[in-house]
Amino acid sequence: MTHDTRGMMEPIKVGLLGFGTVGSGTFNVLRRNQEEISRRAGRGIEITRVAVRNPAKAQQVLGDALGTVALTSDFAAVVDDPSLDIIAEMIGGTDIARELVLRAIHNGKHVVTANKALLAVHGTEIFEAARVKGVMVAFEAAVAGGIPIIKALREGLTANRIQYIAGIINGTTNFILSEMRERGLDFATALADAQRLGYAEADPTFDVEGIDAAHKATIMAAIAFGVPVQFERAYVEGITRLDALDIRYAEELGYRIKLLGIARRTTQGIELRVHPTLIPAKRLIANVQGAMNAVLVYGDAVGATLYYGKGAGAEPTASAVVADLVDVTRLHTADPNNRVPHLAFQPDRLATTPILPIDEVTSSYYLRLRVADQTGVLADITRILAALGISIDALLQKESEVVDASQAGETDIILITHETLEKNINTAISRIEALSTVRSGVTRLRMEALN
Amino acid sequence: MTHDTRGMMEPIKVGLLGFGTVGSGTFNVLRRNQEEISRRAGRGIEITRVAVRNPAKAQQVLGDALGTVALTSDFAAVVDDPSLDIIAEMIGGTDIARELVLRAIHNGKHVVTANKALLAVHGTEIFEAARVKGVMVAFEAAVAGGIPIIKALREGLTANRIQYIAGIINGTTNFILSEMRERGLDFATALADAQRLGYAEADPTFDVEGIDAAHKATIMAAIAFGVPVQFERAYVEGITRLDALDIRYAEELGYRIKLLGIARRTTQGIELRVHPTLIPAKRLIANVQGAMNAVLVYGDAVGATLYYGKGAGAEPTASAVVADLVDVTRLHTADPNNRVPHLAFQPDRLATTPILPIDEVTSSYYLRLRVADQTGVLADITRILAALGISIDALLQKESEVVDASQAGETDIILITHETLEKNINTAISRIEALSTVRSGVTRLRMEALN
């Protein structure tokens, strides 16, 4: 550890675990901008050891920087190296990463990580271990890549009672949704395009099923509301079943469909959910296109604020990792009790506010269904909704695209409801689907006004 | 000073100078959210003394909180009060505010201020005094109100070599420009509307002449590029001479006109300028409407990031002031050498990179002029531009709005040039205006692609 030799301003020493996209990006940014970074941090920041599964491959990436770094395939050796002040975990996953991070903390090292899954699932254990050892775990890169949203939430908006967060926090799905809308593609085609262009992985499950966004929303909810990370309570719905037709109808009604990570405070508890969401097309966040990320945060004092940028990629993510390295360099000599708390609130002052089950969430809804083209159908539907206290905000009737002769004389009905509890809309949908004049299941999408 | 009694977690004590919009907003936010704020900060934050010119008036605002606060009209007494840890300067202006801030620093107190003029003009003196005394001067509220842009630039983007900043950082002018565009108003009418609605002051000079935006751009440039604050070198041009006609023509060409504060790094030096600017309508920042603020920051690692929110008003500004109070509370026990430097870079590592005079700035330009409707005119103009190495990107010819018979047979020509030095465009304009076929002065506006 070098932090008792400050007078000499020896560089702070970092061990890197993993040398993939983010690891090598971090190495490159730190090296390219080292003069500027040391002018900011007050001392140099050097990656002196890198653990990587295949050192031979990493040697090529390092090029002429090879001489400055000790490469190894022994991850534990880096975590245990007494010459290192900070361990930057860039492996991903929740098993080996968890072990190595806990071991680094146990060894008294500060940790910087981009691993949202690790923190969303094992955050409570990791932050407690860090508290006990008086070290920092910094994770700006875990949410929205290079956008300093963790810092904004945790430090920039401390005056506020946060009301809600709504974020486009997965670039893959935003790219796919943008392609579906702009080019009229269906999900499978847009996904294949995204894969071809490198915006989606070969196995896109984590992205398209909303899991990645839910990890990030879980972390933001904890910081915004002062509750522990509780990924297991998040409601997660991806975009795989989204129909191009609904994107078109939404557009006609003045909405865009985005995969949002939402965390909202209500009088009953906290809503924590990821799902495709209709939002008014005129909102700034509705115009976030392609693989870009944006997070809307509403605080009682500041009102709505928005943070926009690249949410993934080697250098945008490295931007956040290096910012954390600078933060740790600046703060590691400070009294641990007076540093910024990991989850924004002091660990002994977290709240027990419950995360609400999805049934208890309040939303307005977009409903689409196919009905027989005969009188009385609409009256039946509105009666079902009225009986459950659900009022209708807008209604659109569309001649159905006839696929075969049996569908002649059918109409698409699109309804937009006012706010109601999710369990009420579910009951309504069951009843509507039981009507003999209703010829399809009811497609249901949630909406957010984002006022 | 209470910071050696941390074990008891006694509240940190704040003295407020001024109790106008921002001062009373700060008091109200701190009081309303005190429980949540102390859970974040690790201890309470209390305003115990307020200096105000008219204590009787302040008493009414305080209402039932009156008992917790000592009111005085003696500002120096608050600055000298040994029971206070932090002085929050909410007076504004550069004379008395400067004296009181320096006196507070001299007394070993940390300072929080929303005063952009003070820092843009006297920042070097103030930050040096703070360095000598080992105290913090926090000023998040000085730029873009509640948007945590100072924190983003100073801490969130430390990995980056910042290339440019372009900000809508004055709500009054953005409101006026939005009204001019949306409702086709001229400047005087839109200004009168803004004054009636409370978006512009009775004397709007600081806002509409761009001075307020230049103060903020000056501060951001210092933080982004590691140079001292140099307001006197900023180029400042407001919106008072902006013609509604140019807003319309810009729209036709796919651009919006915004008053931007621009700070850009070039190989020659730093550009620091405020002026009406044409930007592509499809950029997210072009869609920032009304009195909202937004700052676009381009870093070499992160790419483009955008920060959006309310740039003024009691509570949005208070949001930033209170965030600074929390920051100071968290960091005031840390070794002063290891805190975040006031201007992002260590004070002994600031650069001497020059601020370029406006003649040396590179930009593309929008030019509008009225010409006689005869052959050869356009050839003369393009010859003048070509001789100066200025190439044309787009050209629009418009039948002139004929005001009187003498203008019959005249045409408006709108040119968009590629990038060139400002001094070249000035030479071109002089030569064009000397042509006998040119019947008006040349209206010249700068453009930014914001890629």
Side-chain angles (χ1 to χ4, degrees), chain A residues 87-141:
Chain A
I87 297 296
E89 183 275 305
M90 310 279 122
I91 313 169
T94 53
D95 298 331
I96 301 167
R98 174 179 158 275
E99 279 171 41
L100 290 168
V101 162
L102 287 172
R103 185 158 162 173
I105 291 168
H106 179 79
N107 288 340
K109 297 188 191 309
H110 304 286
V111 171
V112 172
T113 177
N115 193 329
K116 43 240 154 198
L118 178 68
L119 296 178
V121 177
H122 300 294
T124 302
E125 178 187 19
I126 288 167
F127 297 134
E128 174 57 16
R131 190 193 62 76
V132 169
K133 295 296 288 188
V135 298
M136 287 176 269
V137 176
F139 53 93
E140 183 61 78

Short mmCIF file of all heavy atoms in Angstrom, two decimals, chain A residues 87-141:
data_model
loop_
_atom_site.label_atom_id
_atom_site.label_comp_id
_atom_site.label_asym_id
_atom_site.label_seq_id
_atom_site.Cartn_x
_atom_site.Cartn_y
_atom_site.Cartn_z
N ILE A 87 -7.99 -2.96 -6.83
CA ILE A 87 -8.25 -4.05 -7.76
C ILE A 87 -9.42 -3.63 -8.64
O ILE A 87 -10.49 -3.27 -8.14
CB ILE A 87 -8.60 -5.35 -7.01
CG1 ILE A 87 -7.43 -5.83 -6.14
CG2 ILE A 87 -9.04 -6.45 -7.99
CD1 ILE A 87 -6.17 -6.21 -6.91
N ALA A 88 -9.20 -3.66 -9.95
CA ALA A 88 -10.28 -3.36 -10.89
C ALA A 88 -10.79 -4.67 -11.48
O ALA A 88 -10.07 -5.34 -12.21
CB ALA A 88 -9.78 -2.42 -11.98
N GLU A 89 -12.02 -5.01 -11.11
CA GLU A 89 -12.60 -6.30 -11.52
C GLU A 89 -13.35 -6.11 -12.82
O GLU A 89 -14.38 -5.44 -12.86
CB GLU A 89 -13.52 -6.81 -10.41
CG GLU A 89 -14.15 -8.17 -10.68
CD GLU A 89 -15.42 -8.08 -11.50
OE1 GLU A 89 -16.35 -7.35 -11.11
OE2 GLU A 89 -15.47 -8.74 -12.57
N MET A 90 -12.85 -6.70 -13.89
CA MET A 90 -13.45 -6.54 -15.22
C MET A 90 -13.75 -7.90 -15.83
O MET A 90 -13.69 -8.07 -17.05
CB MET A 90 -12.46 -5.79 -16.14
CG MET A 90 -11.88 -4.51 -15.57
SD MET A 90 -13.01 -3.11 -15.74
CE MET A 90 -13.20 -2.60 -14.04
N ILE A 91 -14.07 -8.88 -14.97
CA ILE A 91 -14.33 -10.23 -15.46
C ILE A 91 -15.80 -10.40 -15.85
O ILE A 91 -16.14 -11.00 -16.85
CB ILE A 91 -14.01 -11.29 -14.37
CG1 ILE A 91 -12.65 -11.01 -13.73
CG2 ILE A 91 -14.05 -12.70 -14.97
CD1 ILE A 91 -12.40 -11.84 -12.50
N GLY A 92 -16.68 -9.88 -15.01
CA GLY A 92 -18.12 -10.11 -15.20
C GLY A 92 -18.54 -11.41 -14.54
O GLY A 92 -17.71 -12.18 -14.03
N GLY A 93 -19.86 -11.63 -14.53
CA GLY A 93 -20.38 -12.84 -13.89
C GLY A 93 -20.44 -12.67 -12.38
O GLY A 93 -19.95 -11.70 -11.82
N THR A 94 -21.07 -13.65 -11.72
CA THR A 94 -21.31 -13.48 -10.28
C THR A 94 -20.59 -14.50 -9.42
O THR A 94 -20.66 -14.42 -8.20
CB THR A 94 -22.82 -13.57 -9.98
OG1 THR A 94 -23.33 -14.77 -10.55
CG2 THR A 94 -23.56 -12.39 -10.55
N ASP A 95 -19.89 -15.45 -10.00
CA ASP A 95 -19.25 -16.49 -9.17
C ASP A 95 -17.80 -16.16 -8.83
O ASP A 95 -17.48 -15.79 -7.71
CB ASP A 95 -19.36 -17.84 -9.88
CG ASP A 95 -20.81 -18.26 -10.05
OD1 ASP A 95 -21.63 -17.84 -9.22
OD2 ASP A 95 -21.12 -18.95 -11.03
N ILE A 96 -16.94 -16.30 -9.84
CA ILE A 96 -15.51 -16.02 -9.61
C ILE A 96 -15.32 -14.55 -9.23
O ILE A 96 -14.54 -14.22 -8.35
CB ILE A 96 -14.70 -16.35 -10.88
CG1 ILE A 96 -14.90 -17.82 -11.25
CG2 ILE A 96 -13.22 -16.06 -10.67
CD1 ILE A 96 -14.40 -18.17 -12.63
N ALA A 97 -16.08 -13.68 -9.90
CA ALA A 97 -15.96 -12.25 -9.61
C ALA A 97 -16.26 -11.97 -8.14
O ALA A 97 -15.56 -11.19 -7.49
CB ALA A 97 -16.89 -11.44 -10.52
N ARG A 98 -17.30 -12.61 -7.62
CA ARG A 98 -17.67 -12.40 -6.21
C ARG A 98 -16.53 -12.84 -5.29
O ARG A 98 -16.14 -12.12 -4.36
CB ARG A 98 -18.94 -13.20 -5.90
CG ARG A 98 -19.32 -13.17 -4.42
CD ARG A 98 -20.60 -13.94 -4.14
NE ARG A 98 -20.64 -14.33 -2.73
CZ ARG A 98 -20.06 -15.41 -2.24
NH1 ARG A 98 -19.42 -16.25 -3.04
NH2 ARG A 98 -20.14 -15.68 -0.94
N GLU A 99 -16.00 -14.02 -5.55
CA GLU A 99 -14.91 -14.52 -4.71
C GLU A 99 -13.70 -13.59 -4.72
O GLU A 99 -13.12 -13.29 -3.67
CB GLU A 99 -14.46 -15.90 -5.20
CG GLU A 99 -15.34 -17.04 -4.73
CD GLU A 99 -14.99 -18.34 -5.44
OE1 GLU A 99 -13.79 -18.60 -5.62
OE2 GLU A 99 -15.93 -19.07 -5.83
N LEU A 100 -13.34 -13.15 -5.92
CA LEU A 100 -12.14 -12.32 -6.05
C LEU A 100 -12.34 -10.94 -5.41
O LEU A 100 -11.46 -10.41 -4.76
CB LEU A 100 -11.75 -12.18 -7.52
CG LEU A 100 -11.19 -13.47 -8.15
CD1 LEU A 100 -11.10 -13.33 -9.67
CD2 LEU A 100 -9.81 -13.82 -7.57
N VAL A 101 -13.55 -10.38 -5.61
CA VAL A 101 -13.83 -9.07 -5.03
C VAL A 101 -13.81 -9.15 -3.51
O VAL A 101 -13.20 -8.31 -2.84
CB VAL A 101 -15.19 -8.53 -5.56
CG1 VAL A 101 -15.72 -7.41 -4.67
CG2 VAL A 101 -15.04 -8.05 -7.00
N LEU A 102 -14.44 -10.19 -2.95
CA LEU A 102 -14.45 -10.34 -1.49
C LEU A 102 -13.03 -10.57 -0.95
O LEU A 102 -12.66 -10.05 0.10
CB LEU A 102 -15.38 -11.50 -1.08
CG LEU A 102 -16.88 -11.20 -1.23
CD1 LEU A 102 -17.70 -12.46 -1.00
CD2 LEU A 102 -17.33 -10.09 -0.26
N ARG A 103 -12.25 -11.31 -1.71
CA ARG A 103 -10.87 -11.57 -1.29
C ARG A 103 -10.03 -10.29 -1.34
O ARG A 103 -9.22 -10.02 -0.45
CB ARG A 103 -10.28 -12.65 -2.21
CG ARG A 103 -8.89 -13.10 -1.81
CD ARG A 103 -8.65 -14.48 -2.39
NE ARG A 103 -7.25 -14.85 -2.43
CZ ARG A 103 -6.83 -16.06 -2.77
NH1 ARG A 103 -7.71 -17.00 -3.12
NH2 ARG A 103 -5.55 -16.34 -2.78
N ALA A 104 -10.25 -9.48 -2.37
CA ALA A 104 -9.54 -8.20 -2.47
C ALA A 104 -9.91 -7.30 -1.29
O ALA A 104 -9.03 -6.67 -0.67
CB ALA A 104 -9.88 -7.51 -3.79
N ILE A 105 -11.21 -7.25 -0.98
CA ILE A 105 -11.66 -6.44 0.16
C ILE A 105 -11.04 -6.96 1.45
O ILE A 105 -10.52 -6.18 2.26
CB ILE A 105 -13.21 -6.48 0.25
CG1 ILE A 105 -13.82 -5.72 -0.94
CG2 ILE A 105 -13.69 -5.90 1.58
CD1 ILE A 105 -15.33 -5.93 -1.10
N HIS A 106 -11.06 -8.26 1.61
CA HIS A 106 -10.46 -8.87 2.79
C HIS A 106 -8.99 -8.49 2.91
O HIS A 106 -8.46 -8.32 4.01
CB HIS A 106 -10.62 -10.40 2.71
CG HIS A 106 -10.01 -11.10 3.88
ND1 HIS A 106 -10.64 -11.18 5.11
CD2 HIS A 106 -8.81 -11.72 4.02
CE1 HIS A 106 -9.85 -11.83 5.97
NE2 HIS A 106 -8.74 -12.19 5.33
N ASN A 107 -8.34 -8.35 1.77
CA ASN A 107 -6.92 -7.96 1.76
C ASN A 107 -6.72 -6.46 1.96
O ASN A 107 -5.61 -5.95 1.84
CB ASN A 107 -6.27 -8.39 0.44
CG ASN A 107 -6.08 -9.89 0.34
OD1 ASN A 107 -6.09 -10.59 1.37
ND2 ASN A 107 -5.94 -10.40 -0.87
N GLY A 108 -7.82 -5.75 2.19
CA GLY A 108 -7.72 -4.30 2.45
C GLY A 108 -7.57 -3.46 1.21
O GLY A 108 -7.15 -2.30 1.29
N LYS A 109 -7.92 -4.02 0.06
CA LYS A 109 -7.78 -3.26 -1.17
C LYS A 109 -9.11 -2.61 -1.57
O LYS A 109 -10.18 -3.18 -1.33
CB LYS A 109 -7.32 -4.18 -2.31
CG LYS A 109 -5.94 -4.77 -2.03
CD LYS A 109 -5.41 -5.52 -3.21
CE LYS A 109 -4.18 -6.33 -2.82
NZ LYS A 109 -3.14 -5.52 -2.11
N HIS A 110 -9.01 -1.44 -2.17
CA HIS A 110 -10.20 -0.82 -2.75
C HIS A 110 -10.53 -1.54 -4.05
O HIS A 110 -9.65 -2.09 -4.71
CB HIS A 110 -9.94 0.66 -3.02
CG HIS A 110 -9.50 1.39 -1.79
ND1 HIS A 110 -10.37 1.72 -0.78
CD2 HIS A 110 -8.28 1.82 -1.39
CE1 HIS A 110 -9.71 2.35 0.19
NE2 HIS A 110 -8.43 2.41 -0.16
N VAL A 111 -11.82 -1.55 -4.39
CA VAL A 111 -12.25 -2.28 -5.57
C VAL A 111 -13.01 -1.33 -6.50
O VAL A 111 -13.83 -0.52 -6.06
CB VAL A 111 -13.17 -3.45 -5.17
CG1 VAL A 111 -13.80 -4.10 -6.40
CG2 VAL A 111 -12.39 -4.50 -4.38
N VAL A 112 -12.71 -1.44 -7.79
CA VAL A 112 -13.49 -0.75 -8.81
C VAL A 112 -14.06 -1.83 -9.73
O VAL A 112 -13.33 -2.74 -10.14
CB VAL A 112 -12.62 0.23 -9.62
CG1 VAL A 112 -13.40 0.79 -10.81
CG2 VAL A 112 -12.13 1.36 -8.72
N THR A 113 -15.35 -1.77 -9.99
CA THR A 113 -15.95 -2.82 -10.82
C THR A 113 -17.01 -2.25 -11.76
O THR A 113 -17.63 -1.22 -11.46
CB THR A 113 -16.58 -3.93 -9.94
OG1 THR A 113 -17.21 -4.89 -10.79
CG2 THR A 113 -17.61 -3.36 -8.99
N ALA A 114 -17.18 -2.91 -12.89
CA ALA A 114 -18.22 -2.54 -13.85
C ALA A 114 -19.34 -3.59 -13.81
O ALA A 114 -20.21 -3.60 -14.68
CB ALA A 114 -17.63 -2.46 -15.25
N ASN A 115 -19.32 -4.43 -12.79
CA ASN A 115 -20.14 -5.65 -12.77
C ASN A 115 -21.50 -5.44 -12.11
O ASN A 115 -21.66 -5.61 -10.90
CB ASN A 115 -19.33 -6.73 -12.04
CG ASN A 115 -19.89 -8.11 -12.23
OD1 ASN A 115 -21.11 -8.26 -12.39
ND2 ASN A 115 -19.04 -9.10 -12.20
N LYS A 116 -22.50 -5.10 -12.93
CA LYS A 116 -23.85 -4.81 -12.39
C LYS A 116 -24.52 -6.05 -11.81
O LYS A 116 -25.20 -5.99 -10.79
CB LYS A 116 -24.77 -4.23 -13.45
CG LYS A 116 -24.68 -4.92 -14.80
CD LYS A 116 -24.24 -3.93 -15.84
CE LYS A 116 -23.56 -4.58 -16.99
NZ LYS A 116 -22.77 -3.66 -17.80
N ALA A 117 -24.32 -7.20 -12.47
CA ALA A 117 -24.94 -8.42 -11.98
C ALA A 117 -24.43 -8.73 -10.57
O ALA A 117 -25.20 -9.01 -9.65
CB ALA A 117 -24.64 -9.59 -12.92
N LEU A 118 -23.12 -8.63 -10.41
CA LEU A 118 -22.50 -8.90 -9.10
C LEU A 118 -23.10 -8.03 -8.01
O LEU A 118 -23.46 -8.52 -6.93
CB LEU A 118 -20.99 -8.65 -9.22
CG LEU A 118 -20.17 -8.85 -7.95
CD1 LEU A 118 -20.16 -10.33 -7.56
CD2 LEU A 118 -18.74 -8.33 -8.13
N LEU A 119 -23.22 -6.73 -8.29
CA LEU A 119 -23.69 -5.80 -7.25
C LEU A 119 -25.19 -5.91 -7.03
O LEU A 119 -25.67 -5.77 -5.91
CB LEU A 119 -23.30 -4.37 -7.60
CG LEU A 119 -21.78 -4.14 -7.65
CD1 LEU A 119 -21.49 -2.71 -8.06
CD2 LEU A 119 -21.14 -4.45 -6.31
N ALA A 120 -25.95 -6.15 -8.11
CA ALA A 120 -27.41 -6.24 -7.96
C ALA A 120 -27.78 -7.48 -7.15
O ALA A 120 -28.77 -7.49 -6.43
CB ALA A 120 -28.07 -6.28 -9.34
N VAL A 121 -26.96 -8.53 -7.28
CA VAL A 121 -27.28 -9.79 -6.60
C VAL A 121 -26.54 -9.91 -5.27
O VAL A 121 -27.13 -10.29 -4.26
CB VAL A 121 -26.93 -10.99 -7.52
CG1 VAL A 121 -27.17 -12.31 -6.80
CG2 VAL A 121 -27.76 -10.92 -8.81
N HIS A 122 -25.25 -9.57 -5.24
CA HIS A 122 -24.44 -9.76 -4.03
C HIS A 122 -23.99 -8.44 -3.39
O HIS A 122 -23.09 -8.44 -2.55
CB HIS A 122 -23.19 -10.60 -4.36
CG HIS A 122 -23.51 -11.97 -4.89
ND1 HIS A 122 -24.13 -12.93 -4.12
CD2 HIS A 122 -23.31 -12.52 -6.10
CE1 HIS A 122 -24.29 -14.03 -4.86
NE2 HIS A 122 -23.81 -13.81 -6.05
N GLY A 123 -24.62 -7.35 -3.78
CA GLY A 123 -24.20 -6.04 -3.27
C GLY A 123 -24.20 -5.93 -1.76
O GLY A 123 -23.26 -5.40 -1.17
N THR A 124 -25.23 -6.44 -1.13
CA THR A 124 -25.33 -6.29 0.32
C THR A 124 -24.13 -6.93 1.01
O THR A 124 -23.51 -6.31 1.90
CB THR A 124 -26.65 -6.92 0.82
OG1 THR A 124 -27.74 -6.27 0.15
CG2 THR A 124 -26.81 -6.76 2.32
N GLU A 125 -23.78 -8.12 0.59
CA GLU A 125 -22.63 -8.82 1.17
C GLU A 125 -21.32 -8.05 0.90
O GLU A 125 -20.49 -7.87 1.79
CB GLU A 125 -22.55 -10.23 0.54
CG GLU A 125 -21.39 -11.06 1.02
CD GLU A 125 -21.28 -12.38 0.23
OE1 GLU A 125 -21.85 -12.46 -0.88
OE2 GLU A 125 -20.63 -13.31 0.73
N ILE A 126 -21.18 -7.59 -0.33
CA ILE A 126 -19.94 -6.91 -0.73
C ILE A 126 -19.77 -5.57 -0.03
O ILE A 126 -18.70 -5.25 0.50
CB ILE A 126 -19.90 -6.75 -2.28
CG1 ILE A 126 -19.66 -8.13 -2.91
CG2 ILE A 126 -18.84 -5.75 -2.71
CD1 ILE A 126 -19.91 -8.19 -4.41
N PHE A 127 -20.85 -4.78 0.03
CA PHE A 127 -20.73 -3.46 0.66
C PHE A 127 -20.48 -3.60 2.17
O PHE A 127 -19.76 -2.80 2.76
CB PHE A 127 -21.98 -2.60 0.39
CG PHE A 127 -22.17 -2.28 -1.08
CD1 PHE A 127 -23.40 -2.42 -1.69
CD2 PHE A 127 -21.10 -1.85 -1.85
CE1 PHE A 127 -23.58 -2.12 -3.04
CE2 PHE A 127 -21.26 -1.55 -3.21
CZ PHE A 127 -22.50 -1.69 -3.80
N GLU A 128 -21.07 -4.62 2.78
CA GLU A 128 -20.85 -4.83 4.21
C GLU A 128 -19.40 -5.23 4.46
O GLU A 128 -18.76 -4.73 5.40
CB GLU A 128 -21.82 -5.90 4.75
CG GLU A 128 -21.60 -6.32 6.19
CD GLU A 128 -21.65 -5.17 7.20
OE1 GLU A 128 -22.16 -4.07 6.85
OE2 GLU A 128 -21.17 -5.37 8.33
N ALA A 129 -18.88 -6.11 3.62
CA ALA A 129 -17.47 -6.50 3.76
C ALA A 129 -16.56 -5.28 3.60
O ALA A 129 -15.58 -5.12 4.35
CB ALA A 129 -17.12 -7.57 2.72
N ALA A 130 -16.89 -4.42 2.66
CA ALA A 130 -16.08 -3.22 2.43
C ALA A 130 -16.16 -2.27 3.62
O ALA A 130 -15.16 -1.66 4.02
CB ALA A 130 -16.54 -2.52 1.15
N ARG A 131 -17.35 -2.17 4.20
CA ARG A 131 -17.52 -1.30 5.37
C ARG A 131 -16.64 -1.78 6.52
O ARG A 131 -15.93 -1.00 7.17
CB ARG A 131 -18.99 -1.29 5.81
CG ARG A 131 -19.32 -0.23 6.86
CD ARG A 131 -20.68 -0.45 7.49
NE ARG A 131 -20.79 -1.71 8.21
CZ ARG A 131 -20.26 -1.95 9.40
NH1 ARG A 131 -19.59 -1.01 10.03
NH2 ARG A 131 -20.39 -3.14 9.96
N VAL A 132 -16.67 -3.10 6.75
CA VAL A 132 -15.89 -3.67 7.84
C VAL A 132 -14.40 -3.38 7.66
O VAL A 132 -13.70 -3.05 8.61
CB VAL A 132 -16.15 -5.19 7.95
CG1 VAL A 132 -15.16 -5.86 8.89
CG2 VAL A 132 -17.59 -5.45 8.40
N LYS A 133 -13.93 -3.50 6.41
CA LYS A 133 -12.50 -3.30 6.16
C LYS A 133 -12.13 -1.83 5.88
O LYS A 133 -10.96 -1.51 5.70
CB LYS A 133 -12.06 -4.15 4.96
CG LYS A 133 -12.15 -5.65 5.19
CD LYS A 133 -11.21 -6.14 6.30
CE LYS A 133 -9.75 -6.11 5.85
NZ LYS A 133 -8.86 -6.77 6.85
N GLY A 134 -13.13 -0.97 5.82
CA GLY A 134 -12.84 0.45 5.57
C GLY A 134 -12.32 0.74 4.18
O GLY A 134 -11.54 1.68 3.96
N VAL A 135 -12.75 -0.06 3.20
CA VAL A 135 -12.31 0.18 1.82
C VAL A 135 -13.49 0.60 0.95
O VAL A 135 -14.66 0.43 1.33
CB VAL A 135 -11.62 -1.05 1.19
CG1 VAL A 135 -10.36 -1.41 1.96
CG2 VAL A 135 -12.58 -2.24 1.11
N MET A 136 -13.20 1.13 -0.21
CA MET A 136 -14.24 1.59 -1.13
C MET A 136 -14.49 0.56 -2.22
O MET A 136 -13.55 -0.07 -2.70
CB MET A 136 -13.81 2.89 -1.79
CG MET A 136 -13.85 4.09 -0.85
SD MET A 136 -13.22 5.60 -1.67
CE MET A 136 -11.49 5.46 -1.22
N VAL A 137 -15.75 0.42 -2.59
CA VAL A 137 -16.12 -0.34 -3.78
C VAL A 137 -16.80 0.66 -4.72
O VAL A 137 -17.89 1.16 -4.40
CB VAL A 137 -17.07 -1.50 -3.45
CG1 VAL A 137 -17.51 -2.21 -4.72
CG2 VAL A 137 -16.40 -2.49 -2.50
N ALA A 138 -16.17 0.97 -5.81
CA ALA A 138 -16.69 2.00 -6.72
C ALA A 138 -17.23 1.32 -7.97
O ALA A 138 -16.63 0.37 -8.47
CB ALA A 138 -15.58 2.99 -7.07
N PHE A 139 -18.36 1.81 -8.48
CA PHE A 139 -19.04 1.05 -9.55
C PHE A 139 -19.79 1.94 -10.53
O PHE A 139 -20.85 1.58 -11.02
CB PHE A 139 -19.96 0.00 -8.92
CG PHE A 139 -20.93 0.57 -7.90
CD1 PHE A 139 -22.20 0.96 -8.28
CD2 PHE A 139 -20.56 0.73 -6.57
CE1 PHE A 139 -23.09 1.50 -7.35
CE2 PHE A 139 -21.45 1.27 -5.64
CZ PHE A 139 -22.71 1.65 -6.03
N GLU A 140 -19.22 3.10 -10.82
CA GLU A 140 -19.86 4.00 -11.80
C GLU A 140 -20.11 3.29 -13.13
O GLU A 140 -21.13 3.52 -13.79
CB GLU A 140 -18.97 5.23 -12.00
CG GLU A 140 -19.52 6.28 -12.93
CD GLU A 140 -20.83 6.87 -12.45
OE1 GLU A 140 -20.84 7.73 -11.55
OE2 GLU A 140 -21.87 6.45 -13.00
N ALA A 141 -19.18 2.43 -13.53
CA ALA A 141 -19.30 1.77 -14.83
C ALA A 141 -20.39 0.70 -14.87
O ALA A 141 -20.73 0.19 -15.94
CB ALA A 141 -17.95 1.14 -15.21
#
